[in-house]
C-alpha cells in the first residue's frame, strides 16, 4: 500500500534573516565608508533572498515530483491493461523529467512489446536505435536464454499531449538512461524504462532516482495486474467452459489459445475425429477460416459461416476480432461455434410451414386477440384470391366486412360465442367478395394460447365451398327431380303421396287420386329414331302433362316412359277421369321431334285414396300400395287395347296377386319337373295317315292340376323362363320321337313339330344346342320341324334370315306358325327357307259361315303352292271344314276332328292304329 504523503512534509522551512535596524544609526563622517557598508548589507540581503528562492524552488520541484508520483501510484492501482500502464508511466515521466523521448519494453505472457513516446518528430534511424538499445539491454539483463528479434517486438508509438510538431526531428541522442523493471520476486527483469535527450548530460542524479522509483512502482502494478488478470482468466475460462456454445480464442498465428470442451467436441464432429483436432484449419477448412478471419469492414464487425458435420449436424461459426482490453497477451480472434441443427430444423420447418400456408389453396387469416375488435394481422395469397381483397386492404380490419349486410346468418352467433370464449369453431357462412359476388365459406377457427394459457391470436382457415354447395344443391335437386325432364322423381312423388295419405287419415272428407301413365309403343320410337329423339319426346310429354294439371298437383317421372300424377283434394273419381281424358286429348296432337312428326298414346291406371268418409277408397296405409294399384290398373288398360284409362278395383289386385303366385309357381315348376308334353297328330289329307305330331307344353300343377298354356306361357315369356323351358321341350320331344321311331320302324317316317319362342329363336347358340340334342337323342335332323311365328321372324329380319338358313343347313324343316295373323312381308317370305305355312285356326274355324275367312285360307294355300311350300291347317273340327280344305288342296291338317292333344301313351296308340290302316 502506498503511504499518503503529507503536504507539510514537502514544505521547506526558511529561517528568518536578522536585519539590523539602520534607522537608529546616526550619520558619521566618512561618506564612503557608509556607502560601502550599505552596499555590502544589501548584497548579503539579496544573497539570502536568492538562496531562499532556490531552496523554495527545489522544495516545489520535490512537491511536484511527489505529487506526480502519488497520482501515478493512484492511477496504476486502477489500471487493468499493460499498454495503459506503460502509457501512464511515460506520460507522467514527461511531466517530471525533462527529456526528448521516452520508451519502454515490456514482456508479458511470452510476448514482447516496445512503446516509444517522442516529444517531437523522431527520425526513423533514431527509433530503430532506441529499439535496438532496448532489445540489447533487455536480452542482456534477462539472460542468455532470452532470444528476441526486432520483428518479434512490435513498436507502438505514443504521442504525448505536449507533442511539438514545429521542432526539428530528433536525429541523434546525446544522453540516455535505462532503468530495469524487475518482477515482485526480484529474480527476473520483465521490462525497461528508457529516457533520452539530444543534449549530453541532460539528466541529474535526482531524475535517475525518480526513474527507479517509477520502475519499482511499475513492477508492483505489473504483479497486481498479473494476479488480477490470472483471476479474471480463470473466471473467464470457467465461464467459457460451461457455455453450451463452443468458444475458441485464437492468436495472430491462428493458434488455439483457449477452447472449451464444447469447442473441441464440435471441431471433432466437423472433421470426424473422436480426439481433439490438432489444427483448426483441419476442422473448419482453409476457405471457411479465411472467410471468418477477414478484417472488420464498415458496419460489419464479425463474420460467420455455416458448416455441415459428418453426421449431418449443422454448425454456425462466428468470428470476431478481439479488441485488446485485458492486456497485450490476449488472443486476436474469438470464435463461437453453435450447433444449429435443431434451430435449422425448426427454421426449415417454419419455412415449410410458411410456404405451406402461403401455397395453401385454402384461405388463412390470423387475427390478434389482444387488440380490440380482433384486427387481421396476416392473410395468405389464397385468401386474397378467394375474397378479391389484398392483404393491405384487410390488415387491421375485422373480418366481419366479408359478411356484407348478411349479418343474421345462423352460423354467425356460434362463431361469435366461440371467439368470446376462446374456443374452436367450425361454421359455414355466406360471404361476399370484393366485387360483391357471394361465395360459401367453410370457416374453421382455432385459438392460439401463449405459455400462460391466454388466447393471443385466432387462426381462421376458410375454404371456398361454393362449387361444393352448388353440387350439393344439384345433388339434392337430382335426388328429388328427374335429370331429363326436371319433373319430381319417384322419391319426391312418394314423399308427397305419403303426406296425402297422412292428410287423409286426419281429414275424413279428403279425397285424392294417383294416375300411373305409361306411353304406348315408346320402344318403337327409341329403336327407330334413336334415344336422343326418345329423350326429346319424354321432355315434350312432361311439358304437356304439366299443362294438363291444376296448380298444386304433382306430375313425376318414375323412370323410362312411366309417369305418375298426384291429384289432391278432388271432389270425386270424375275429376281423376277428367284429367285422364284431358291427357289423352293432349297426346293426340303430333310431336315434332328433330324433324320427325310423331304421334303417341298412353295407358293410364287410376287409384283413389280417401279419408274415412269414403270407405270404398280408404284403407291405404303405405304410399307404395296406392302406386302399386295404379300400376296394376295401367297394365289392365294396356291389356284392354292401350290408349285408355282404367280405374283400379279390388279384382285387379286379386288378379295381380294370382299372377305373382303363378310366376312363383312357374319358377318352382322348372325345378321340380312339373312340365309334360301332349301331342296332337298332324294328318295327311291325301292318305289320312298320321305323319307327324305337334309337341304341346302342359303344366301339371300340384294343386291346380293341368294349367292352360294360355295362362302360363305369357308369364314364362315375360320372366325369361321360356328359354329354359323351351330347351326341355325340345329335348323331351326328340327323345320321345326317337322312341316311337324305334318302336314302329316300318311305318311311314314320323316327325315332330316343336314351337320355338321368339326369345329362344334369338339365342346365338341355337343351332349348336339343337345339334347337341340330335347327338344325345339320335334323332335325324330332318325329323324335326320347328314352328316359328311371324312376329319372331319379322322382329329382326336380317338376323332371323341368317338363323333360318343355318337351321336349314343343319337339316331342320321350318314352319311359319299362325300365318296371316302377323305382318309378314311377302317379299321377305320369298327369301326365307320356309317349308310349310301353318294357317291360323281363327281362319279355319270360320270358313263355313264367313266367305272372307274362306278366301283368306284359299289365298294362303295358293301362296304356299306358288312359293313351293305346303300348307297345314290348324283347328279342324268338322267334316265340312275338312272337305273345304281338301277342295282347296291343302296338304295337311290338325285339330279336334282328328284328335285333341294327348299324352305320350295315347299318341303311341294313334301311331299303331294309323299303321294298321
Amino acid at each position: 500500500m502506498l503511504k499518503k504523503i503529507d503536504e507539510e512534509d514537502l514544505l521547506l522551512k526558511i529561517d528568518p534573516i536578522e536585519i539590523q535596524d539602520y534607522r537608529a544609526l546616526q550619520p558619521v563622517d566618512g561618506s564612503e565608508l557608509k556607502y560601502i557598508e550599505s552596499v555590502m548589507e544589501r548584497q548579503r540581503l539579496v544573497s539570502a533572498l536568492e538562496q531562499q528562492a532556490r531552496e523554495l524552488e527545489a522544495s516545489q520541484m520535490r512537491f511536484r515530483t511527489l505529487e506526480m508520483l502519488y497520482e501515478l501510484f493512484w492511477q496504476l492501482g486502477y489500471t487493468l491493461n499493460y499498454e495503459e500502464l506503460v502509457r501512464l508511466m511515460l506520460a507522467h515521466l514527461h511531466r517530471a523529467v525533462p527529456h526528448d523521448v521516452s520508451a519502454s519494453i515490456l514482456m508479458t505472457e511470452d510476448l514482447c512489446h516496445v512503446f516509444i513516446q517522442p516529444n517531437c518528430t523522431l527520425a526513423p534511424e533514431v527509433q530503430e536505435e532506441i529499439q535496438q538499445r532496448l532489445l540489447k539491454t533487455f536480452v542482456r539483463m534477462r539472460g542468455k536464454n532470452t532470444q528476441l528479434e526486432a520483428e518479434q517486438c512490435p513498436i507502438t508509438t505514443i504521442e504525448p499531449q505536449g507533442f511539438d510538431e514545429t521542432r526539428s526531428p530528433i536525429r541523434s541522442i546525446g544522453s540516455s538512461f535505462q532503468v530495469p523493471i524487475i518482477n515482485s520476486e526480484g529474480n527476473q527483469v520483465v521490462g525497461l524504462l528508457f529516457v533520452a535527450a539530444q543534449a549530453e548530460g541532460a539528466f541529474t542524479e535526482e531524475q535517475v532516482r525518480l526513474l527507479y522509483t517509477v520502475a519499482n512502482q511499475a513492477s508492483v502494478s505489473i504483479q497486481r495486474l498479473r494476479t488480477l488478470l490470472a483471476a479474471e482468466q480463470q473466471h473467464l475460462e470457467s465461464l467459457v467452459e460451461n457455455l453450451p456454445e463452443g468458444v475458441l480464442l485464437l492468436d495472430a498465428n491462428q493458434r488455439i489459445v483457449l477452447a472449451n470442451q464444447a469447442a473441441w467436441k464440435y471441431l471433432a464432429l466437423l472433421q470426424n475425429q473422436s480426439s481433439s483436432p490438432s489444427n483448426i484449419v483441419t476442422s473448419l477448412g482453409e476457405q471457411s477460416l479465411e472467410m471468418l478471419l477477414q478484417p472488420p469492414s464498415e458496419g460489419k464487425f464479425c463474420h460467420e459461416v455455416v458448416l455441415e458435420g459428418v453426421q449431418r449436424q449443422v454448425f454456425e461459426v462466428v468470428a470476431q476480432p478481439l479488441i485488446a482490453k485485458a492486456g497485450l497477451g490476449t488472443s486476436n480472434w474469438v470464435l463461437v461455434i453453435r450447433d444449429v441443427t435443431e434451430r435449422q430444423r425448426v427454421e426449415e420447418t417454419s419455412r415449410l410451414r410458411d410456404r405451406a400456408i402461403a401455397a395453401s389453396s385454402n384461405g388463412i387469416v390470423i387475427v390478434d386477440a389482444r387488440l380490440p375488435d380482433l384486427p387481421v394481422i396476416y392473410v395468405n395469397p389464397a385468401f386474397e384470391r378467394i375474397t378479391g381483397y389484398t392483404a393491405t386492404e384487410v390488415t387491421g380490419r375485422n373480418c366481419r366486412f366479408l359478411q356484407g349486410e348478411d349479418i343474421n346468418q345462423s352460423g354467425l352467433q356460434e362463431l361469435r360465442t366461440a371467439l368470446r370464449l376462446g374456443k374452436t369453431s367450425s361454421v359455414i357462412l355466406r360471404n361476399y367478395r370484393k366485387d360483391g359476388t357471394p361465395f360459401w365459406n367453410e370457416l374453421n377457427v382455432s385459438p392460439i394460447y401463449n405459455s400462460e394459457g391466454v388466447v393471443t391470436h385466432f387462426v381462421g382457415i376458410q375454404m371456398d365451398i361454393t362449387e361444393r354447395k352448388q353440387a350439393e344443391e344439384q345433388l339434392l335437386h337430382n335426388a328429388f327431380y328427374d335429370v331429363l325432364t326436371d319433373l319430381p322423381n319417384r322419391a319426391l312423388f312418394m314423399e308427397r303421396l305419403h303426406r296425402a295419405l297422412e292428410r287423409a287419415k286426419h281429414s275424413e272428407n279428403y279425397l285424392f287420386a294417383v294416375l300411373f301413365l305409361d306411353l304406348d309403343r315408346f320402344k318403337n320410337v327409341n329403336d327407330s329414331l334413336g334415344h336422343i329423339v326418345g329423350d326429346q319426346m319424354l321432355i315434350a310429354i312432361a311439358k304437356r302433362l304439366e299443362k294438363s294439371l291444376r296448380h298444386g298437383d304433382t306430375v313425376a317421372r318414375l323412370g323410362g316412359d312411366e309417369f305418375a300424377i298426384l291429384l289432391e283434394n278432388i271432389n270425386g273419381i270424375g275429376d281423376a277421369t277428367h284429367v285422364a281424358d284431358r291427357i289423352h286429348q293432349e297426346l293426340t296432337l303430333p310431336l315434332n321431334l328433330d324433324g320427325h312428326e310423331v304421334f303417341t298414346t298412353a295407358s293410364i291406371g287410376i287409384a283413389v285414396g280417401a279419408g274415412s268418409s269414403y270407405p270404398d277408397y280408404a284403407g291405404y296405409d303405405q304410399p307404395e300400395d296406392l302406386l302399386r294399384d295404379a300400376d296394376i290398373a295401367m297394365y289392365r288398360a294396356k291389356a284392354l287395347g292401350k290408349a285408355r284409362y282404367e280405374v283400379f278395383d279390388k279384382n285387379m289386385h286379386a288378379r295381380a296377386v294370382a299372377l305373382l303366385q303363378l310366376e312363383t309357381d312357374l319358377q318352382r315348376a322348372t325345378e321340380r319337373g312339373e312340365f309334360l308334353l301332349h301331342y296332337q297328330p298332324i294328318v295327311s289329307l291325301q292318305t289320312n295317315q298320321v305323319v307327324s305330331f305337334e309337341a304341346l307344353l302342359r303344366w301339371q300343377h300340384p294343386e291346380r292340376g293341368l294349367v292352360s298354356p294360355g295362362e302360363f306361357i305369357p308369364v314364362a315369356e315375360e320372366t325369361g323362363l321360356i328359354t329354359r323351358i323351351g330347351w326341355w321341350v325340345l329335348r323331351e320331344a326328340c327323345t320321345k320321337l326317337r322312341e316311337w321311331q324305334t318302336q314302329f320302324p316300318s311305318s311311314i317316317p314320323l316327325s315332330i313339330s316343336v314351337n320355338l319362342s321368339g326369345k329362344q329363336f334369338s339365342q346365338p347358340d341355337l343351332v349348336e344346342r339343337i345339334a347337341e340334342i340330335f347327338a344325345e337323342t339320335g334323332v335325324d335332323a330332318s325329323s324335326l320341324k320347328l314352328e316359328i311365328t311371324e312376329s319372331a321372324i319379322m322382329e329382326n329380319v336380317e338376323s332371323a334370315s341368317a338363323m333360318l338358313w343355318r337351321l336349314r343347313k343343319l337339316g331342320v324343316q321350318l314352319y311359319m306358325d299362325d300365318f296371316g295373323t302377323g305382318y309378314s312381308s311377302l317379299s321377305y317370305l320369298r327369301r326365307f327357307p320356309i317349308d310349310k305355312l301353318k294357317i291360323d285356326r281363327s281362319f279355319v274355324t270360320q270358313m263355313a259361315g264367313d266367305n272372307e275367312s274362306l278366301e283368306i285360307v284359299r289365298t294362303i294355300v295358293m301362296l304356299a303352292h306358288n312359293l313351293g311350300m305346303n300348307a297345314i291347317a290348324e283347328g279342324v273340327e268338322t267334316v265340312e271344314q275338312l272337305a273345304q280344305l281338301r277342295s282347296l288342296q291343302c296338304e295337311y291338317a290338325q285339330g279336334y276332328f282328328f284328335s285333341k292333344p294327348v299324352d305320350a301313351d295315347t299318341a303311341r296308340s294313334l301311331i299303331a292304329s294309323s299303321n294298321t290302316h
Side-chain angles (χ1 to χ4, degrees):
M1 297 291 294
L2 296 175
K3 179 181 178 182
K4 183 177 180 182
I5 302 175
D6 193 344
E7 185 177 351
E8 295 180 356
D9 296 336
L10 301 176
L11 297 178
L12 296 176
K13 295 182 180 180
I14 302 175
D15 295 333
I17 301 175
E18 297 181 358
I19 302 175
Q20 295 180 358
D21 187 3
Y22 289 101
R23 290 176 297 178
L25 296 177
Q26 296 294 324
V28 292
D29 293 333
S31 56
E32 185 175 351
L33 178 62
K34 293 180 180 179
Y35 174 75
I36 292 173
E37 290 178 354
S38 175
V39 170
M40 290 178 66
E41 186 65 25
R42 284 198 300 273
Q43 253 183 337
R44 285 195 302 272
L45 181 60
V46 169
S47 297
L49 289 173
E50 288 178 352
Q51 179 63 32
Q52 188 176 14
R54 284 193 295 272
E55 291 176 357
L56 180 61
E57 182 180 359
S59 177
Q60 290 175 344
M61 178 65 70
R62 287 195 299 274
F63 176 77
R64 286 195 300 270
T65 301
L66 292 174
E67 184 181 37
M68 181 272 294
L69 289 174
Y70 176 76
E71 183 180 352
L72 176 61
F73 298 157
W74 183 84
Q75 290 181 353
L76 290 181
Y78 291 94
T79 301
L80 300 177
N81 184 280
Y82 290 120
E83 181 177 346
E84 188 64 24
L85 183 147
V86 174
R87 287 178 181 274
L88 287 172
M89 286 193 306
L90 298 184
H92 284 78
L93 279 177
H94 181 74
R95 291 166 50 192
V97 179
H99 59 272
D100 292 323
V101 59
S102 59
S104 176
I105 185 170
L106 193 64
M107 176 71 76
T108 59
E109 285 80 27
D110 298 329
L111 294 175
C112 182
H113 208 91
V114 175
F115 300 89
I116 298 178
Q117 178 178 275
N119 294 336
C120 61
T121 305
L122 195 66
E125 60 272 16
V126 174
Q127 178 174 303
E128 183 179 356
E129 180 184 350
I130 294 172
Q131 183 185 19
Q132 292 297 330
R133 285 190 185 185
L134 287 173
L135 286 174
K136 183 177 181 181
T137 304
F138 186 67
V139 170
R140 188 180 69 250
M141 288 185 172
R142 283 181 64 89
K144 296 181 179 179
N145 294 331
T146 302
Q147 295 181 357
L148 289 175
E149 300 295 335
E151 55 271 12
Q152 295 178 274
C153 298
I155 298 176
T156 300
T157 301
I158 302 172
E159 189 174 298
Q161 291 183 352
F163 186 83
D164 188 357
E165 296 181 356
T166 61
R167 285 182 56 183
S168 299
I170 300 174
R171 301 190 178 279
S172 63
I173 296 176
S175 58
S176 63
F177 205 87
Q178 301 182 63
V179 176
I181 302 173
I182 304 173
N183 62 7
S184 59
E185 290 81 8
N187 57 7
Q188 190 176 33
V189 175
V190 296
L192 294 175
L193 193 59
F194 172 89
V195 292
Q198 293 187 85
E200 296 181 358
F203 303 107
T204 66
E205 185 179 345
E206 183 68 24
Q207 290 173 337
V208 172
R209 283 198 298 270
L210 180 61
L211 287 176
Y212 274 102
T213 302
V214 172
N216 290 336
Q217 183 59 36
S219 176
V220 174
S221 297
I222 289 173
Q223 181 59 36
R224 180 192 59 79
L225 186 57
R226 281 181 174 174
T227 303
L228 180 62
L229 291 178
E232 287 188 355
Q233 181 76 7
Q234 184 177 3
H235 181 267
L236 176 62
E237 290 178 356
S238 176
L239 180 65
V240 170
E241 188 64 32
N242 291 284
L243 288 176
E245 295 88 354
V247 179
L248 293 160
L249 298 180
L250 303 184
D251 62 12
N253 296 319
Q254 300 179 4
R255 291 178 301 184
I256 299 175
V257 176
L258 175 67
N260 62 358
Q261 288 299 318
W264 295 121
K265 172 185 174 183
Y266 293 158
L267 290 175
L269 289 173
L270 282 169
Q271 66 170 0
N272 193 23
Q273 290 182 355
S274 58
S275 59
S276 301
S278 57
N279 192 338
I280 191 171
V281 178
T282 307
S283 299
L284 302 184
E286 292 185 7
Q287 186 175 0
S288 298
L289 195 61
E290 181 180 352
M291 185 181 299
L292 284 168
L293 303 185
Q294 297 180 66
S297 58
E298 184 177 354
K300 188 171 184 180
F301 301 98
C302 63
H303 301 281
E304 64 181 62
V305 295
V306 177
L307 303 173
E308 185 172 336
V310 294
Q311 298 178 7
R312 302 193 65 82
Q313 301 101 322
V314 181
F315 297 95
E316 177 187 72
V317 185
V318 179
Q320 185 171 0
L322 190 66
I323 300 174
K325 292 183 178 180
L328 300 175
T330 54
S331 301
N332 287 354
W333 293 89
V334 58
L335 271 65
V336 178
I337 307 175
R338 299 184 183 93
D339 186 346
V340 295
T341 307
E342 181 62 19
R343 190 186 77 186
Q344 283 225 337
R345 186 192 66 79
V346 173
E347 290 175 354
E348 181 65 21
T349 302
S350 179
R351 282 194 297 270
L352 290 174
R353 187 185 302 113
D354 292 344
R355 178 58 182 159
I357 291 174
S360 173
S361 60
N362 296 331
I364 297 177
V365 56
I366 302 176
V367 301
D368 195 333
R370 299 166 297 182
L371 298 178
D373 208 26
L374 302 177
V376 174
I377 62 172
Y378 171 81
V379 294
N380 71 340
F383 179 94
E384 298 178 303
R385 174 179 52 80
I386 293 172
T387 66
Y389 291 95
T390 65
T392 305
E393 291 173 320
V394 302
T395 301
R397 301 174 65 184
N398 186 285
C399 284
R400 71 172 65 91
F401 70 88
L402 292 174
Q403 302 160 17
E405 298 180 358
D406 199 358
I407 59 175
N408 295 318
Q409 302 179 53
S410 59
L412 285 176
Q413 187 57 45
E414 178 185 344
L415 177 61
R416 292 165 186 154
T417 302
L419 293 175
R420 186 177 69 254
L421 299 178
K423 294 184 176 180
T424 300
S425 178
S426 180
V427 295
I428 295 178
L429 301 175
R430 186 170 45 253
N431 286 165
Y432 295 87
R433 295 185 174 90
K434 185 178 179 180
D435 60 6
T437 57
F439 71 96
W440 285 101
N441 176 14
E442 183 176 331
L443 179 63
N444 294 281
V445 177
S446 299
I448 303 299
Y449 297 90
N450 62 11
S451 58
E452 299 174 356
V454 177
V455 177
T456 60
H457 299 83
F458 284 98
V459 176
I461 300 176
Q462 62 173 194
M463 184 185 302
D464 184 353
I465 60 169
T466 304
E467 292 184 0
R468 192 184 84 187
K469 268 286 189 180
Q470 292 172 347
E472 288 175 354
E473 292 172 358
Q474 186 62 48
L475 286 174
L476 183 62
H477 182 82
N478 292 345
F480 294 101
Y481 287 86
D482 178 56
V483 177
L484 178 63
T485 63
D486 206 35
L487 292 177
N489 63 6
R490 179 184 290 271
L492 182 55
F493 183 83
M494 298 304 290
E495 192 273 332
R496 293 182 180 178
L497 182 56
H498 176 76
R499 288 207 307 260
L501 276 174
E502 291 298 315
R503 194 175 298 118
K505 292 177 182 178
H506 297 89
S507 178
E508 60 183 16
N509 295 319
Y510 183 71
L511 190 68
F512 65 96
V514 174
L515 280 66
F516 199 110
L517 182 149
D518 185 271
L519 299 180
D520 299 327
R521 295 177 298 279
F522 175 72
K523 185 175 183 299
N524 293 340
V525 176
N526 271 341
D527 292 345
S528 58
L529 302 181
H531 288 274
I532 295 178
V533 175
D535 289 346
Q536 294 175 2
M537 180 177 178
L538 293 174
I539 295 171
I541 294 295
K543 293 179 179 178
R544 291 194 180 184
L545 292 177
E546 288 182 303
K547 183 180 177 181
S548 303
L549 302 181
R550 305 168 302 172
H551 178 72
D553 293 335
T554 299
V555 56
R557 182 183 176 218
L558 303 183
D561 60 342
E562 293 180 340
F563 296 85
I565 298 171
L566 175 60
L567 304 177
E568 298 196 60
N569 201 21
I570 61 176
N571 296 318
I573 188 64
D575 289 349
T577 59
H578 178 69
V579 171
D581 288 334
R582 191 160 60 240
I583 291 172
H584 281 139
Q585 185 64 32
E586 282 288 336
L587 295 182
T588 59
L589 301 176
L591 299 168
N592 193 334
L593 305 174
D594 198 23
H596 301 278
E597 190 174 64
V598 178
F599 291 86
T600 188
T601 59
S603 300
I604 302 174
I606 303 173
V608 180
S612 59
S613 297
Y614 301 91
D616 291 339
Y617 304 127
Y620 287 106
D621 292 323
Q622 300 296 327
E624 291 81 6
D625 296 340
L626 196 60
L627 187 64
R628 175 205 64 202
D629 290 349
D631 188 23
I632 292 173
M634 182 273 294
Y635 275 105
R636 181 63 178 169
K638 277 192 177 294
L640 294 176
K642 304 176 182 178
R644 58 182 291 161
Y645 66 82
E646 285 292 321
V647 179
F648 176 80
D649 60 40
K650 294 182 179 179
N651 292 330
M652 290 182 183
H653 182 252
R655 285 195 296 271
V657 171
L659 185 61
L660 178 61
Q661 185 61 48
L662 181 65
E663 182 179 336
T664 302
D665 292 346
L666 191 60
Q667 180 72 37
R668 291 173 178 169
T670 59
E671 300 169 357
R672 297 173 179 174
E674 296 176 358
F675 294 112
L676 53 87
L677 292 180
H678 280 189
Y679 304 92
Q680 187 174 37
I682 299 175
V683 179
S684 171
L685 297 184
Q686 296 176 351
T687 63
N688 290 326
Q689 287 184 314
V690 175
V691 295
S692 182
F693 286 92
E694 181 178 1
L696 300 172
L697 181 64
R698 295 293 183 266
W699 179 13
Q700 185 66 44
H701 194 280
E703 297 175 358
R704 298 174 55 189
L706 283 175
V707 180
S708 169
E711 184 178 352
F712 71 84
I713 290 296
V715 176
E717 289 273 5
E718 186 175 351
T719 58
L721 288 173
I722 192 65
T723 302
R724 184 161 47 159
I725 295 172
W727 291 123
W728 178 86
V729 169
L730 193 58
R731 182 175 283 100
E732 181 67 16
C734 288
T735 301
K736 191 57 64 177
L737 175 62
R738 182 56 182 164
E739 180 183 324
W740 292 337
Q741 288 176 343
T742 304
Q743 189 174 358
F744 304 101
S746 60
S747 65
I748 60 174
L750 276 176
S751 62
I752 196 161
S753 298
V754 177
N755 289 282
L756 205 61
S757 71
K759 288 185 180 294
Q760 194 172 7
F761 180 66
S762 63
Q763 297 297 308
D765 60 345
L766 175 66
V767 175
E768 289 76 13
R769 293 287 296 273
I770 293 175
E772 289 178 4
I773 292 174
F774 288 158
E776 291 174 8
T777 60
V779 170
D780 187 81
S782 62
S783 300
L784 177 64
K785 323 296 182 182
L786 293 179
E787 298 186 9
I788 308 169
T789 61
E790 290 180 80
S791 59
I793 294 176
M794 299 305 296
E795 188 171 337
N796 190 325
V797 175
E798 296 301 326
S799 61
S801 177
M803 184 62 74
L804 291 173
W805 281 106
R806 289 181 63 196
L807 290 170
R808 167 56 66 84
K809 186 176 180 181
L810 185 63
V812 175
Q813 293 194 27
L814 303 173
Y815 293 0
M816 183 171 284
D817 196 14
D818 301 332
F819 187 77
T821 61
Y823 47 89
S824 60
S825 169
L826 296 181
S827 62
Y828 283 119
L829 183 61
R830 181 173 53 84
R831 295 166 49 190
F832 296 149
I834 301 297
D835 297 290
K836 293 181 175 63
L837 298 180
K838 294 194 74 172
I839 306 169
D840 188 71
R841 61 178 292 116
S842 62
F843 302 126
V844 174
T845 56
Q846 298 180 22
M847 284 192 305
D850 184 2
N851 290 330
E852 184 177 345
S853 296
L854 178 60
E855 290 303 319
I856 291 175
V857 174
R858 185 192 309 275
T859 301
I860 295 173
V861 173
M862 291 178 60
L863 177 63
H865 292 166
N866 290 334
L867 293 176
M869 305 176 189
N870 292 328
I872 302 175
E874 294 181 312
V876 179
E877 298 179 354
T878 66
V879 175
E880 184 178 3
Q881 293 170 354
L882 178 60
Q884 288 177 317
L885 290 171
R886 280 178 172 166
S887 66
L888 295 175
Q889 299 183 353
C890 181
E891 289 82 4
Y892 302 96
Q894 66 183 96
Y896 277 35
F897 177 80
F898 303 104
S899 172
K900 65 179 182 179
V902 295
D903 58 25
D905 292 338
T906 306
R908 185 185 303 106
S909 300
L910 289 175
I911 297 171
S913 175
S914 178
N915 285 336
T916 59
H917 292 81

